[in-house]
Amino acid sequence: MTDSTSTVRGISDTARWVAYFRALETRRADALFRDPYAERLAGALGFNIANTLPDGNKHEWAWVARTYLFDQFLSRAIQEGADLVVNLAAGLDARPYRMNLPAALQWVEVDLPVIVSYKEEILGNEKPRCRLERIALDLSDVSGRRALFAELDARARKVVVASEGLLIYFTADEVASLAKNLAAGKHFQNWIIDLASPGQLRLMQRTTGKQLSEAGAAFKFGPPEGAKFFTPHGWEPKDVQGLLKTAAQFKRAPSVLLSLLPEPKGNFGNYPWTGVCLLDKR
Ligand SMILES: C[S@@+](CC[C@H](N)C(=O)[O-])C[C@H]1O[C@@H](n2cnc3c(N)ncnc32)[C@H](O)[C@@H]1O
C-alpha cells in the first residue's frame, strides 16, 4: 500500500479512516483512551481520507464513544472469564497493545489480507500484552469462516467476539448468516457489535456513503428491529448503549444534537441512532 492517494481505494481503507479518529483522541489532554499506534497506522492516507471524504472528519464524538464502549464491553467480558477474544474485521485496531490485558489471554484478529500485511509492517516489532494472532480471511467466505470458528471454538472455554465497523457493510441476509455461524460455536458466548438505525443508515448513505459506495464499501445494514434483529439468529441483546447518550455523559456531544436526547424507547425508525450492543448467546 502506498500513501500517494487521498481517496478510499477499497473497503480496507476504511480502517485507516477509523485510525485517524483514534489518533486525534490520543492527542487530547482529556482523552477517553490513548492509542499510541493510531497515528502511524492511519498514516498520511488515513488523514487524507478523513479530510476529503464528505463529512469524513466530522462526528469525532461518535467514533470516540464507539471505541470507548467497545473497550468497556471487552474489558468486562475478559474480567468475567473470556479466555479468547475474536476481533472480526480488526482493521488497524491496536487493543492488544494498548489495553491492560492478562498475558495468557488469546486474541485473534481477522481481516482481509491487504490490511493484515500492512498492519504487520507497522506493528511487527511491537510487543502485544497478550497472545495475539492475526488471520487473513475474507469473512464473506462462508466455508472459510465456519472452519475458522470451529477451530477457535476448540481452543477456548469462553469466547467473546467483537466486530466494530463491519456489519454496516453487509446486507441483512449476510449479517444473519454470520450470526448463525458464530452462534454455532459452543464456547462463543458474547458478541459485541455496533449498529445503526434505519434513519441513521439513510443519513450516512446520503453523505459519506456515496463515495464509499463507489469504492465498493457501501453502507447497507440498519435493521428496523434494532438489536432484536439478532434474536432469531442465535443472539439476545443484553446491553445496548447509544453513542450520543454516551458522548453526552462525557460532555463530548455537540450541543445542537442534545435536543435528540433522551433516546426514544424501543423502535428507533427514523431517529438517527447508532450504538454498541453486547449480545449474549441464546
Ligand atoms: C471501518 S473498518 C473497522 C476496522 C476496526 N474494527 C476499527 O474499528 O478500527 C472496517 C474493516 O472491515 C474489514 N472488512 C470489510 N469487509 C471484510 C470482509 N469481507 N472480510 C474481512 N474483513 C473485512 C476492512 O478490511 C476494514 O479493516
Side-chain angles (χ1 to χ4, degrees), residues 11-12 14-15 18 22 66 87-93 110-112 115 137-140 164-166 169-170:
I11 199 159
S12 286
T14 61
V18 192
R22 289 194 289 265
R66 184 174 97 175
N87 190 356
L88 299 180
L92 301 176
D93 175 56
V110 185
D111 208 299
L112 293 167
I115 206 84
L137 176 72
D138 183 342
L139 285 162
S140 51
E164 184 179 12
L166 173 70
Y169 299 107
F170 282 9

PDB file of all heavy atoms in Angstrom, residues 11-12 14-15 18 22 66 87-93 110-112 115 137-140 164-166 169-170, ligand 1:
ATOM      1  N   ILE A  11     -12.546  -1.336   0.550  1.00  0.00           N
ATOM      2  CA  ILE A  11     -13.147  -1.370   1.890  1.00  0.00           C
ATOM      3  C   ILE A  11     -12.090  -1.338   3.005  1.00  0.00           C
ATOM      4  O   ILE A  11     -12.331  -0.778   4.075  1.00  0.00           O
ATOM      5  CB  ILE A  11     -14.090  -2.587   2.014  1.00  0.00           C
ATOM      6  CG1 ILE A  11     -15.056  -2.395   3.179  1.00  0.00           C
ATOM      7  CG2 ILE A  11     -13.340  -3.905   2.118  1.00  0.00           C
ATOM      8  CD1 ILE A  11     -16.304  -3.227   3.110  1.00  0.00           C
ATOM      9  N   SER A  12     -10.900  -1.888   2.737  1.00  0.00           N
ATOM     10  CA  SER A  12      -9.890  -1.926   3.807  1.00  0.00           C
ATOM     11  C   SER A  12      -9.388  -0.541   4.179  1.00  0.00           C
ATOM     12  O   SER A  12      -8.914  -0.335   5.304  1.00  0.00           O
ATOM     13  CB  SER A  12      -8.729  -2.837   3.413  1.00  0.00           C
ATOM     14  OG  SER A  12      -9.167  -4.177   3.515  1.00  0.00           O
ATOM     15  N   THR A  14     -11.118   1.872   4.878  1.00  0.00           N
ATOM     16  CA  THR A  14     -11.962   2.438   5.940  1.00  0.00           C
ATOM     17  C   THR A  14     -11.280   2.247   7.302  1.00  0.00           C
ATOM     18  O   THR A  14     -11.532   2.994   8.240  1.00  0.00           O
ATOM     19  CB  THR A  14     -13.374   1.812   5.971  1.00  0.00           C
ATOM     20  OG1 THR A  14     -13.260   0.401   6.214  1.00  0.00           O
ATOM     21  CG2 THR A  14     -14.122   2.041   4.663  1.00  0.00           C
ATOM     22  N   ALA A  15     -10.373   1.256   7.393  1.00  0.00           N
ATOM     23  CA  ALA A  15      -9.630   1.041   8.646  1.00  0.00           C
ATOM     24  C   ALA A  15      -8.706   2.227   8.923  1.00  0.00           C
ATOM     25  O   ALA A  15      -8.495   2.601  10.079  1.00  0.00           O
ATOM     26  CB  ALA A  15      -8.831  -0.254   8.557  1.00  0.00           C
ATOM     27  N   VAL A  18     -10.829   5.103  10.422  1.00  0.00           N
ATOM     28  CA  VAL A  18     -11.142   4.969  11.855  1.00  0.00           C
ATOM     29  C   VAL A  18      -9.902   5.275  12.698  1.00  0.00           C
ATOM     30  O   VAL A  18      -9.986   5.915  13.752  1.00  0.00           O
ATOM     31  CB  VAL A  18     -11.655   3.550  12.202  1.00  0.00           C
ATOM     32  CG1 VAL A  18     -12.246   3.532  13.601  1.00  0.00           C
ATOM     33  CG2 VAL A  18     -12.677   3.064  11.205  1.00  0.00           C
ATOM     34  N   ARG A  22      -8.864   7.778  16.231  1.00  0.00           N
ATOM     35  CA  ARG A  22      -8.151   7.338  17.445  1.00  0.00           C
ATOM     36  C   ARG A  22      -6.876   8.168  17.626  1.00  0.00           C
ATOM     37  O   ARG A  22      -6.477   8.461  18.750  1.00  0.00           O
ATOM     38  CB  ARG A  22      -7.835   5.842  17.368  1.00  0.00           C
ATOM     39  CG  ARG A  22      -9.082   4.973  17.507  1.00  0.00           C
ATOM     40  CD  ARG A  22      -8.729   3.522  17.761  1.00  0.00           C
ATOM     41  NE  ARG A  22      -8.174   2.863  16.602  1.00  0.00           N
ATOM     42  CZ  ARG A  22      -8.860   2.133  15.732  1.00  0.00           C
ATOM     43  NH1 ARG A  22     -10.166   1.963  15.886  1.00  0.00           N
ATOM     44  NH2 ARG A  22      -8.265   1.553  14.720  1.00  0.00           N
ATOM     45  N   ARG A  66     -17.796   5.158  20.322  1.00  0.00           N
ATOM     46  CA  ARG A  66     -17.824   3.759  19.869  1.00  0.00           C
ATOM     47  C   ARG A  66     -16.612   3.002  20.409  1.00  0.00           C
ATOM     48  O   ARG A  66     -16.746   1.922  20.981  1.00  0.00           O
ATOM     49  CB  ARG A  66     -17.853   3.708  18.335  1.00  0.00           C
ATOM     50  CG  ARG A  66     -17.984   2.311  17.794  1.00  0.00           C
ATOM     51  CD  ARG A  66     -18.156   2.300  16.298  1.00  0.00           C
ATOM     52  NE  ARG A  66     -16.901   2.074  15.615  1.00  0.00           N
ATOM     53  CZ  ARG A  66     -16.774   1.925  14.304  1.00  0.00           C
ATOM     54  NH1 ARG A  66     -17.840   2.001  13.531  1.00  0.00           N
ATOM     55  NH2 ARG A  66     -15.601   1.721  13.750  1.00  0.00           N
ATOM     56  N   ASN A  87     -11.545 -10.751  17.199  1.00  0.00           N
ATOM     57  CA  ASN A  87     -11.890  -9.443  16.651  1.00  0.00           C
ATOM     58  C   ASN A  87     -12.050  -9.571  15.142  1.00  0.00           C
ATOM     59  O   ASN A  87     -11.066  -9.654  14.403  1.00  0.00           O
ATOM     60  CB  ASN A  87     -10.807  -8.416  17.025  1.00  0.00           C
ATOM     61  CG  ASN A  87     -11.238  -6.994  16.684  1.00  0.00           C
ATOM     62  OD1 ASN A  87     -12.317  -6.783  16.108  1.00  0.00           O
ATOM     63  ND2 ASN A  87     -10.419  -6.020  17.021  1.00  0.00           N
ATOM     64  N   LEU A  88     -13.297  -9.616  14.695  1.00  0.00           N
ATOM     65  CA  LEU A  88     -13.582  -9.754  13.270  1.00  0.00           C
ATOM     66  C   LEU A  88     -13.482  -8.387  12.601  1.00  0.00           C
ATOM     67  O   LEU A  88     -14.067  -7.419  13.093  1.00  0.00           O
ATOM     68  CB  LEU A  88     -14.996 -10.302  13.071  1.00  0.00           C
ATOM     69  CG  LEU A  88     -15.286 -11.679  13.670  1.00  0.00           C
ATOM     70  CD1 LEU A  88     -16.734 -12.077  13.385  1.00  0.00           C
ATOM     71  CD2 LEU A  88     -14.317 -12.731  13.138  1.00  0.00           C
ATOM     72  N   ALA A  89     -12.774  -8.305  11.482  1.00  0.00           N
ATOM     73  CA  ALA A  89     -12.528  -7.025  10.805  1.00  0.00           C
ATOM     74  C   ALA A  89     -11.800  -6.074  11.751  1.00  0.00           C
ATOM     75  O   ALA A  89     -12.213  -4.940  11.966  1.00  0.00           O
ATOM     76  CB  ALA A  89     -13.842  -6.413  10.302  1.00  0.00           C
ATOM     77  N   ALA A  90     -10.717  -6.576  12.314  1.00  0.00           N
ATOM     78  CA  ALA A  90      -9.960  -5.815  13.322  1.00  0.00           C
ATOM     79  C   ALA A  90      -9.352  -4.549  12.740  1.00  0.00           C
ATOM     80  O   ALA A  90      -9.075  -3.600  13.480  1.00  0.00           O
ATOM     81  CB  ALA A  90      -8.859  -6.690  13.902  1.00  0.00           C
ATOM     82  N   GLY A  91      -9.133  -4.517  11.439  1.00  0.00           N
ATOM     83  CA  GLY A  91      -8.567  -3.322  10.810  1.00  0.00           C
ATOM     84  C   GLY A  91      -7.257  -2.939  11.463  1.00  0.00           C
ATOM     85  O   GLY A  91      -6.382  -3.790  11.682  1.00  0.00           O
ATOM     86  N   LEU A  92      -7.126  -1.666  11.861  1.00  0.00           N
ATOM     87  CA  LEU A  92      -5.882  -1.175  12.446  1.00  0.00           C
ATOM     88  C   LEU A  92      -6.036  -0.978  13.951  1.00  0.00           C
ATOM     89  O   LEU A  92      -5.311  -0.197  14.568  1.00  0.00           O
ATOM     90  CB  LEU A  92      -5.463   0.116  11.729  1.00  0.00           C
ATOM     91  CG  LEU A  92      -5.255  -0.108  10.228  1.00  0.00           C
ATOM     92  CD1 LEU A  92      -4.930   1.203   9.519  1.00  0.00           C
ATOM     93  CD2 LEU A  92      -4.158  -1.138   9.969  1.00  0.00           C
ATOM     94  N   ASP A  93      -6.986  -1.701  14.525  1.00  0.00           N
ATOM     95  CA  ASP A  93      -7.212  -1.650  15.963  1.00  0.00           C
ATOM     96  C   ASP A  93      -5.981  -2.164  16.710  1.00  0.00           C
ATOM     97  O   ASP A  93      -5.416  -3.199  16.343  1.00  0.00           O
ATOM     98  CB  ASP A  93      -8.417  -2.537  16.308  1.00  0.00           C
ATOM     99  CG  ASP A  93      -8.619  -2.624  17.796  1.00  0.00           C
ATOM    100  OD1 ASP A  93      -8.763  -1.565  18.415  1.00  0.00           O
ATOM    101  OD2 ASP A  93      -8.595  -3.742  18.345  1.00  0.00           O
ATOM    102  N   VAL A 110      -9.026 -10.940  12.750  1.00  0.00           N
ATOM    103  CA  VAL A 110      -9.307 -11.408  11.391  1.00  0.00           C
ATOM    104  C   VAL A 110      -9.580 -10.190  10.513  1.00  0.00           C
ATOM    105  O   VAL A 110     -10.317  -9.283  10.924  1.00  0.00           O
ATOM    106  CB  VAL A 110     -10.550 -12.338  11.371  1.00  0.00           C
ATOM    107  CG1 VAL A 110     -10.763 -12.917   9.982  1.00  0.00           C
ATOM    108  CG2 VAL A 110     -10.428 -13.450  12.418  1.00  0.00           C
ATOM    109  N   ASP A 111      -8.981 -10.166   9.353  1.00  0.00           N
ATOM    110  CA  ASP A 111      -9.296  -9.097   8.387  1.00  0.00           C
ATOM    111  C   ASP A 111      -8.817  -9.552   7.012  1.00  0.00           C
ATOM    112  O   ASP A 111      -8.257 -10.644   6.866  1.00  0.00           O
ATOM    113  CB  ASP A 111      -8.651  -7.755   8.800  1.00  0.00           C
ATOM    114  CG  ASP A 111      -9.457  -6.551   8.294  1.00  0.00           C
ATOM    115  OD1 ASP A 111      -9.605  -6.409   7.056  1.00  0.00           O
ATOM    116  OD2 ASP A 111      -9.952  -5.765   9.118  1.00  0.00           O
ATOM    117  N   LEU A 112      -9.038  -8.728   6.021  1.00  0.00           N
ATOM    118  CA  LEU A 112      -8.632  -9.051   4.653  1.00  0.00           C
ATOM    119  C   LEU A 112      -7.099  -9.014   4.548  1.00  0.00           C
ATOM    120  O   LEU A 112      -6.440  -8.269   5.291  1.00  0.00           O
ATOM    121  CB  LEU A 112      -9.260  -8.045   3.676  1.00  0.00           C
ATOM    122  CG  LEU A 112     -10.791  -8.149   3.591  1.00  0.00           C
ATOM    123  CD1 LEU A 112     -11.380  -6.933   2.877  1.00  0.00           C
ATOM    124  CD2 LEU A 112     -11.209  -9.428   2.878  1.00  0.00           C
ATOM    125  N   ILE A 115      -4.933  -5.633   4.639  1.00  0.00           N
ATOM    126  CA  ILE A 115      -4.804  -4.858   5.881  1.00  0.00           C
ATOM    127  C   ILE A 115      -3.956  -5.633   6.895  1.00  0.00           C
ATOM    128  O   ILE A 115      -3.191  -5.047   7.658  1.00  0.00           O
ATOM    129  CB  ILE A 115      -6.193  -4.458   6.450  1.00  0.00           C
ATOM    130  CG1 ILE A 115      -6.096  -3.190   7.295  1.00  0.00           C
ATOM    131  CG2 ILE A 115      -6.854  -5.516   7.239  1.00  0.00           C
ATOM    132  CD1 ILE A 115      -6.152  -1.938   6.507  1.00  0.00           C
ATOM    133  N   LEU A 137      -8.423 -13.400   6.248  1.00  0.00           N
ATOM    134  CA  LEU A 137      -9.571 -14.165   5.729  1.00  0.00           C
ATOM    135  C   LEU A 137     -10.645 -13.194   5.263  1.00  0.00           C
ATOM    136  O   LEU A 137     -10.932 -12.201   5.948  1.00  0.00           O
ATOM    137  CB  LEU A 137     -10.148 -15.070   6.836  1.00  0.00           C
ATOM    138  CG  LEU A 137     -11.406 -15.863   6.477  1.00  0.00           C
ATOM    139  CD1 LEU A 137     -11.075 -17.011   5.509  1.00  0.00           C
ATOM    140  CD2 LEU A 137     -12.081 -16.439   7.729  1.00  0.00           C
ATOM    141  N   ASP A 138     -11.264 -13.501   4.131  1.00  0.00           N
ATOM    142  CA  ASP A 138     -12.435 -12.743   3.693  1.00  0.00           C
ATOM    143  C   ASP A 138     -13.633 -13.324   4.445  1.00  0.00           C
ATOM    144  O   ASP A 138     -14.005 -14.483   4.239  1.00  0.00           O
ATOM    145  CB  ASP A 138     -12.617 -12.894   2.176  1.00  0.00           C
ATOM    146  CG  ASP A 138     -13.776 -12.070   1.669  1.00  0.00           C
ATOM    147  OD1 ASP A 138     -14.647 -11.665   2.488  1.00  0.00           O
ATOM    148  OD2 ASP A 138     -13.841 -11.836   0.451  1.00  0.00           O
ATOM    149  N   LEU A 139     -14.222 -12.523   5.313  1.00  0.00           N
ATOM    150  CA  LEU A 139     -15.312 -13.035   6.163  1.00  0.00           C
ATOM    151  C   LEU A 139     -16.590 -13.314   5.380  1.00  0.00           C
ATOM    152  O   LEU A 139     -17.548 -13.855   5.933  1.00  0.00           O
ATOM    153  CB  LEU A 139     -15.575 -12.063   7.310  1.00  0.00           C
ATOM    154  CG  LEU A 139     -14.505 -12.119   8.402  1.00  0.00           C
ATOM    155  CD1 LEU A 139     -14.547 -10.869   9.277  1.00  0.00           C
ATOM    156  CD2 LEU A 139     -14.668 -13.378   9.255  1.00  0.00           C
ATOM    157  N   SER A 140     -16.630 -12.959   4.108  1.00  0.00           N
ATOM    158  CA  SER A 140     -17.798 -13.364   3.320  1.00  0.00           C
ATOM    159  C   SER A 140     -17.594 -14.769   2.736  1.00  0.00           C
ATOM    160  O   SER A 140     -18.498 -15.303   2.092  1.00  0.00           O
ATOM    161  CB  SER A 140     -18.133 -12.326   2.248  1.00  0.00           C
ATOM    162  OG  SER A 140     -17.002 -12.015   1.511  1.00  0.00           O
ATOM    163  N   GLU A 164     -16.318  -4.455  15.083  1.00  0.00           N
ATOM    164  CA  GLU A 164     -16.511  -2.998  15.174  1.00  0.00           C
ATOM    165  C   GLU A 164     -16.390  -2.424  13.767  1.00  0.00           C
ATOM    166  O   GLU A 164     -15.334  -2.530  13.139  1.00  0.00           O
ATOM    167  CB  GLU A 164     -15.413  -2.428  16.101  1.00  0.00           C
ATOM    168  CG  GLU A 164     -15.520  -0.956  16.382  1.00  0.00           C
ATOM    169  CD  GLU A 164     -14.388  -0.492  17.328  1.00  0.00           C
ATOM    170  OE1 GLU A 164     -13.430  -1.246  17.564  1.00  0.00           O
ATOM    171  OE2 GLU A 164     -14.483   0.649  17.809  1.00  0.00           O
ATOM    172  N   GLY A 165     -17.490  -1.845  13.284  1.00  0.00           N
ATOM    173  CA  GLY A 165     -17.422  -1.229  11.958  1.00  0.00           C
ATOM    174  C   GLY A 165     -17.456  -2.218  10.824  1.00  0.00           C
ATOM    175  O   GLY A 165     -16.971  -1.936   9.732  1.00  0.00           O
ATOM    176  N   LEU A 166     -18.021  -3.389  11.038  1.00  0.00           N
ATOM    177  CA  LEU A 166     -18.090  -4.390   9.959  1.00  0.00           C
ATOM    178  C   LEU A 166     -19.499  -4.582   9.419  1.00  0.00           C
ATOM    179  O   LEU A 166     -19.721  -4.540   8.209  1.00  0.00           O
ATOM    180  CB  LEU A 166     -17.561  -5.751  10.460  1.00  0.00           C
ATOM    181  CG  LEU A 166     -17.747  -6.906   9.460  1.00  0.00           C
ATOM    182  CD1 LEU A 166     -16.831  -6.734   8.254  1.00  0.00           C
ATOM    183  CD2 LEU A 166     -17.490  -8.267  10.105  1.00  0.00           C
ATOM    184  N   TYR A 169     -21.411  -2.940   6.431  1.00  0.00           N
ATOM    185  CA  TYR A 169     -21.034  -3.218   5.035  1.00  0.00           C
ATOM    186  C   TYR A 169     -21.655  -4.512   4.514  1.00  0.00           C
ATOM    187  O   TYR A 169     -21.411  -4.889   3.372  1.00  0.00           O
ATOM    188  CB  TYR A 169     -19.503  -3.297   4.915  1.00  0.00           C
ATOM    189  CG  TYR A 169     -18.814  -2.010   5.303  1.00  0.00           C
ATOM    190  CD1 TYR A 169     -18.116  -1.898   6.506  1.00  0.00           C
ATOM    191  CD2 TYR A 169     -18.887  -0.882   4.487  1.00  0.00           C
ATOM    192  CE1 TYR A 169     -17.497  -0.708   6.872  1.00  0.00           C
ATOM    193  CE2 TYR A 169     -18.276   0.308   4.850  1.00  0.00           C
ATOM    194  CZ  TYR A 169     -17.588   0.389   6.045  1.00  0.00           C
ATOM    195  OH  TYR A 169     -16.984   1.569   6.403  1.00  0.00           O
ATOM    196  N   PHE A 170     -22.440  -5.199   5.354  1.00  0.00           N
ATOM    197  CA  PHE A 170     -23.086  -6.450   4.956  1.00  0.00           C
ATOM    198  C   PHE A 170     -24.593  -6.213   4.766  1.00  0.00           C
ATOM    199  O   PHE A 170     -25.172  -5.337   5.405  1.00  0.00           O
ATOM    200  CB  PHE A 170     -22.900  -7.516   6.048  1.00  0.00           C
ATOM    201  CG  PHE A 170     -21.537  -8.180   6.086  1.00  0.00           C
ATOM    202  CD1 PHE A 170     -20.477  -7.733   5.320  1.00  0.00           C
ATOM    203  CD2 PHE A 170     -21.332  -9.285   6.891  1.00  0.00           C
ATOM    204  CE1 PHE A 170     -19.228  -8.351   5.351  1.00  0.00           C
ATOM    205  CE2 PHE A 170     -20.087  -9.921   6.941  1.00  0.00           C
ATOM    206  CZ  PHE A 170     -19.040  -9.456   6.176  1.00  0.00           C
TER     207      PHE A 170
HETATM  208  C1  LIG B   1     -14.388   0.589   9.299  1.00  0.00           C
HETATM  209  S1  LIG B   1     -13.073  -0.576   9.323  1.00  0.00           S
HETATM  210  C2  LIG B   1     -13.095  -1.034  11.026  1.00  0.00           C
HETATM  211  C3  LIG B   1     -11.805  -1.586  11.489  1.00  0.00           C
HETATM  212  C4  LIG B   1     -11.676  -1.790  13.003  1.00  0.00           C
HETATM  213  N1  LIG B   1     -12.629  -2.738  13.505  1.00  0.00           N
HETATM  214  C5  LIG B   1     -11.793  -0.486  13.725  1.00  0.00           C
HETATM  215  O1  LIG B   1     -12.840  -0.228  14.321  1.00  0.00           O
HETATM  216  O2  LIG B   1     -10.852   0.297  13.658  1.00  0.00           O
HETATM  217  C6  LIG B   1     -13.804  -1.967   8.502  1.00  0.00           C
HETATM  218  C7  LIG B   1     -12.873  -3.156   8.416  1.00  0.00           C
HETATM  219  O3  LIG B   1     -13.625  -4.252   7.891  1.00  0.00           O
HETATM  220  C8  LIG B   1     -12.761  -5.027   7.116  1.00  0.00           C
HETATM  221  N2  LIG B   1     -13.591  -5.867   6.249  1.00  0.00           N
HETATM  222  C9  LIG B   1     -14.598  -5.450   5.449  1.00  0.00           C
HETATM  223  N3  LIG B   1     -15.127  -6.493   4.784  1.00  0.00           N
HETATM  224  C10 LIG B   1     -14.439  -7.592   5.201  1.00  0.00           C
HETATM  225  C11 LIG B   1     -14.516  -8.969   4.879  1.00  0.00           C
HETATM  226  N4  LIG B   1     -15.396  -9.421   3.987  1.00  0.00           N
HETATM  227  N5  LIG B   1     -13.669  -9.818   5.486  1.00  0.00           N
HETATM  228  C12 LIG B   1     -12.761  -9.369   6.395  1.00  0.00           C
HETATM  229  N6  LIG B   1     -12.648  -8.065   6.745  1.00  0.00           N
HETATM  230  C13 LIG B   1     -13.475  -7.192   6.144  1.00  0.00           C
HETATM  231  C14 LIG B   1     -11.943  -3.995   6.374  1.00  0.00           C
HETATM  232  O4  LIG B   1     -10.776  -4.517   5.801  1.00  0.00           O
HETATM  233  C15 LIG B   1     -11.675  -2.990   7.484  1.00  0.00           C
HETATM  234  O5  LIG B   1     -10.499  -3.271   8.174  1.00  0.00           O
END
